[in-house]
Amino acid sequence: MTKRQATPEIATPTPAKERRRAREISAEPAVENVPRRKRAGKPPKAREADFVVIGAGSGGVAAARRAASHGARVILVERGAIGGTCVNRGCVPKKMLSYGATWAAILSGCLSHTGGKEDWRDAIVRVNAEVARLNASYTQRLAEAGVEILHGEARLAAPTEIVIGNEIVHARKTLIATGARPRALPVPGGELAGTSDDVFTWQTVPASIAVIGGGYIAVELASILSRYGVKVDLLVREDWLLPRFDHDISRSLAEALAATGIRLHFNTDVTLLSQTNGAVEVCYRQDSHPGRTQTVRAQAVLAAIGREANVHGLGLEEIGVKMGPKGGIRVDRQFRSSERSLYAIGDCMAENIHLTPVAIAQGRWVADRLFGKRGDIADFDFVPTAVFCEPAIGAVGLTEAQAIEAAGGKADRIRTEIKRFVSLENRFGGNAQTSMFKLVLNARSGRVLGAHLMDNAAPEIVQTLAVALRLGLKTSHLKSTLPLHPTVAEELFG
Ligand code: FAD
């Protein structure tokens, strides 16, 4: 057992029985895995491919399938589970746990359902079933597309020479799509903190947890765990949550989270973690109490302080590939690294928006460019984004601060419209949780530059609003379109 597993009763691996049950729940039949290659004792043998993709996450799978559809001989190398972060330890399990938490909270609020910790075991079985279904379905679709999968850790001997165990593949082009992993907490005792990866392996939840971080992963996990009955302390380095989101929204969200019982600590600088009597003590300093060390004790600690590119051990430095200041691979506008035949997309890139649809769009674009017809790159100016906490956040376009900066600092050129209301869903649930919609507008033309919504319906609304913003949505369009009643979205109209 590693030191990181500070809560061994929580971080136990999925037992065979659970996995069996997960397979039974899964709606689709299991698909046979692509057979693993025998390696032991055999001398290295070289093979040829048009395109070798390292990493079968969102970006890598999309790139491999697209290149194969253009007739390229594609080999996809993966050291873990097919589907990468999004499927196995990111978007999918997180969103499903969030659904379970929301339903449990609604039911416990108004229909005498118990809610809380006992729901976690059921929820994680359902999550594992869906992850197993997706693993199988991805594998099947890759095989159908003609992509060969090699299981193992890839290393580059040269930009187009990839070593996987005893196997050597010579590629015409190589794509690095190795994603990112949680950053370790760089303080004494930091290894006592788990990460988001660990949460999705838990069979049960701790009674209390200290979550360190203020970004979307920290906020989502704090909110999810709190709804499963865990006592949550959230320790945030900045003086607000979600630094990349609009301040009005993050302020309102902080109030909403506090109202659900999450204890928020802002301006914290965590200095030490130590184990005491079956709990972990987190020591931190706060600007408001200079010179005084404060503590939070919890059964478990989670560090969600950012992610770093998965590039260690790939051999990139050895073959002279240039890296960005934060450690990711540096690429040009065509996703080409300093080595011309080596490309990189997704979370392993130095400067990128780290979201699944972004990695997919980049992977497909590179595959089209190399093996098919050159197409237009997706529009990265209006990337819709969400925080799946309770209440959820959905945002697209510029925040108020970004809009003012884009207007050369002239705040009078920007106008905002803010609406607060209690949704019918919350009325039914018997709580007065306020939802909030904020539009950032060009003061003269009324063009919508950004939309920032807080409500459980916000992510679904924002997906569609992204199209409208790209097409130049103005407030006059919202006023002249009839709303659909009764919905949460109707609060944008009229
Ligand atoms: P990944 O999906 O990380 O895939 C990389 C793959 O490369 C992995 O499978 C890894 O095993 C493999 N690999 C690495 N090194 C090697 C090697 N040397 N040899 C062989 N294989 C290797 N995004 C959203 O859009 N919406 C969300 O709601 C959302 N929620 C998230 C929640 C959490 C908790 C986390 C952690 C992330 C979330 N994300 C979300 C981000 C999203 O998951 C990533 O942006 C996306 O998965 C990036 O895809 P990728 O292809 O770049 O990398």
Side-chain angles (χ1 to χ4, degrees):
M1 184 176 303
T2 61
K3 225 174 162 192
R4 161 161 286 177
Q5 288 169 318
T7 52
E9 72 281 15
I10 295 162
T12 46
T14 313
K17 208 167 79 187
E18 298 287 0
R19 280 201 299 273
R20 253 201 320 277
R21 207 175 144 203
R23 272 201 301 274
E24 280 161 21
I25 288 183
S26 176
E28 286 185 14
V31 174
E32 275 184 29
N33 278 341
V34 173
R36 289 167 193 251
R37 326 200 124 245
K38 285 189 192 148
R39 294 193 202 102
K42 293 214 171 152
K45 45 178 184 168
R47 306 166 54 193
E48 307 288 324
D50 295 320
F51 196 36
V52 170
V53 179
I54 305 177
S58 312
V61 167
R65 287 182 59 201
R66 183 60 66 89
S69 78
H70 293 309
R73 282 172 305 157
V74 184
I75 291 182
L76 175 61
V77 189
E78 173 54 57
R79 67 180 180 193
I82 303 293
T85 303
C86 173
V87 167
N88 298 289
R89 49 193 175 276
C91 332
V92 173
K94 172 215 51 200
K95 183 79 192 280
M96 290 190 78
L97 285 172
S98 182
Y99 276 133
T102 301
W103 291 356
I106 291 171
L107 293 174
S108 63
C110 65
L111 294 178
S112 316
H113 184 268
T114 50
K117 288 193 194 75
E118 57 273 29
D119 292 320
W120 179 272
R121 188 172 277 277
D122 276 352
I124 208 76
V125 169
R126 286 172 188 279
V127 169
N128 290 338
E130 178 58 9
V131 170
R133 189 192 70 78
L134 286 171
N135 291 153
S137 149
Y138 273 44
T139 305
Q140 180 174 13
R141 283 197 273 164
L142 283 162
E144 282 166 4
V147 174
E148 183 180 352
I149 301 175
L150 289 184
H151 292 275
E153 177 113 18
R155 186 177 57 76
L156 295 165
T160 54
E161 187 177 323
I162 303 98
V163 181
I164 311 111
N166 264 349
E167 200 115 34
I168 295 175
V169 183
H170 290 134
R172 277 209 297 131
K173 304 284 179 196
T174 308
L175 177 68
I176 310 280
T178 50
R181 60 178 171 201
R183 190 176 302 146
L185 189 64
V187 301
E191 69 279 2
L192 294 171
T195 68
S196 59
D197 287 357
D198 300 321
V199 173
F200 306 116
T201 69
W202 290 354
Q203 297 305 297
T204 177
V205 283
S208 57
I209 195 159
V211 180
I212 303 170
Y216 83 94
I217 293 176
V219 167
E220 287 177 338
L221 292 176
S223 169
I224 288 170
L225 291 169
S226 161
R227 282 176 283 153
Y228 282 103
V230 181
K231 214 174 99 212
V232 178
D233 281 274
L234 183 59
L235 287 86
V236 185
R237 187 192 281 271
E238 291 78 19
D239 58 2
W240 69 88
L241 293 173
L242 304 173
R244 290 176 194 189
F245 286 72
D246 191 273
H247 279 198
D248 281 321
I249 284 284
S250 54
R251 253 194 304 273
S252 300
L253 179 67
E255 284 166 21
L257 294 179
T260 66
I262 296 177
R263 292 189 298 194
L264 293 146
H265 311 260
F266 289 105
N267 293 309
T268 61
D269 182 16
V270 172
T271 53
L272 174 75
L273 265 57
S274 57
Q275 192 119 42
T276 48
N277 300 331
V280 184
E281 194 167 77
V282 181
C283 296
Y284 64 94
R285 294 206 195 95
Q286 234 170 353
D287 290 352
S288 50
H289 300 93
R292 207 173 98 197
T293 298
Q294 315 206 58
T295 56
V296 164
R297 276 169 65 89
Q299 204 191 336
V301 177
L302 204 62
I305 56 166
R307 294 173 63 77
E308 58 191 20
N310 262 332
V311 287
H312 313 274
L314 270 173
L316 294 173
E317 280 92 350
E318 290 85 331
I319 59 170
V321 174
K322 291 213 171 69
M323 310 299 280
K326 288 186 187 158
I329 301 169
R330 191 149 12 123
V331 295
D332 63 15
R333 288 160 63 87
Q334 295 167 9
F335 305 100
R336 205 161 42 175
S337 75
S338 53
E339 287 295 326
R340 310 315 273 166
S341 49
L342 189 73
Y343 292 72
I345 51 142
D347 284 12
C348 66
M349 268 165 55
E351 302 291 330
N352 203 7
I353 305 169
H354 290 168
L355 290 172
T356 289
V358 173
I360 291 173
Q362 292 170 344
R364 287 184 182 153
W365 188 84
V366 169
D368 284 343
R369 190 181 159 77
L370 293 177
F371 302 104
K373 243 178 153 183
R374 289 178 189 198
D376 291 336
I377 185 86
D379 179 351
F380 293 110
D381 287 340
F382 293 100
V383 179
T385 181
V387 186
F388 294 101
C389 49
E390 168 88 25
I393 306 290
V396 61
L398 302 180
T399 64
E400 184 177 349
Q402 287 168 339
I404 292 173
E405 196 189 323
K410 296 186 173 115
D412 58 333
R413 292 199 180 167
I414 302 302
R415 190 165 65 78
T416 62
E417 281 180 9
I418 295 180
K419 199 177 249 187
R420 292 190 169 83
F421 57 95
V422 178
S423 70
L424 219 48
E425 182 190 19
N426 281 324
R427 298 267 181 224
F428 178 75
N431 73 70
Q433 168 60 58
T434 307
S435 300
M436 177 182 164
F437 283 6
K438 174 173 177 178
L439 295 181
V440 177
L441 310 164
N442 178 314
R444 202 180 306 158
S445 66
R447 184 167 173 177
V448 183
L449 305 172
H452 309 274
L453 318 186
M454 183 179 85
D455 184 277
N456 283 348
E460 301 291 345
I461 297 171
V462 157
Q463 170 68 90
T464 318
L465 266 185
V467 182
L469 258 67
R470 281 192 68 206
L471 296 176
L473 177 74
K474 292 183 176 177
T475 41
S476 54
H477 297 132
L478 291 171
K479 288 190 171 52
S480 58
T481 304
L482 282 189
L484 195 158
H485 177 76
T487 59
V488 169
E490 71 179 310
E491 300 292 340
L492 279 171
F493 298 81

